[in-house]
Amino acid sequence: MSAVSQKASGYCADIMRLPVPDLAAAIPFSETVFGFQLASRVESPVPTAGLTRDSVTIGLTQHGVDPTQDGCAFHVKELRPLLAEFNESCAERPRNLREDGGRLNRT
């Protein structure tokens, strides 16, 4: 069974304005690691990209907000296939990811 992203929830802000330090680097990372596809991109007034995967749409923006202070959670139909996807797609993947009661956690 393949992993299906069902929805995303922002921690602090709007899921369509997730802060990134470098949009040009964040787009291919999101495509390669998380399986998102670029849906839209604008450079002005603020560099922003819309990305989609399954029924999830998120927005990345390079607007000067500290990206370590925000983020999002993805709700998926099957966790194990998603973990397998991440393990295959990440050249430098965290080796301490594990499933814990239906959640993906670091050990």
Side-chain angles (χ1 to χ4, degrees), residues 55-73:
S55 61
V56 173
T57 300
I58 62 171
L60 305 179
T61 185
Q62 186 177 323
H63 54 53
V65 173
D66 182 358
T68 65
Q69 300 303 308
D70 201 359
C72 67

Side-chain angles (χ1 to χ4, degrees), residues 4-11 15 18 29-30 33-36 51-60 71-79 82 86 102-104:
V4 176
S5 298
Q6 296 177 313
K7 68 178 184 175
S9 305
Y11 297 151
I15 196 70
L18 295 169
F29 177 84
S30 298
V33 175
F34 297 118
F36 278 91
L51 299 147
T52 61
R53 176 185 170 142
D54 306 318
S55 61
V56 173
T57 300
I58 62 171
L60 305 179
C72 67
F74 297 100
H75 301 260
V76 297
K77 187 172 182 178
E78 293 289 332
L79 184 59
L82 184 63
F86 287 171
R103 295 179 180 263
L104 191 60

Side-chain angles (χ1 to χ4, degrees), residues 78-85 99:
E78 293 289 332
L79 184 59
R80 285 188 182 101
L82 184 63
L83 181 57
E85 254 183 53
E99 180 186 357

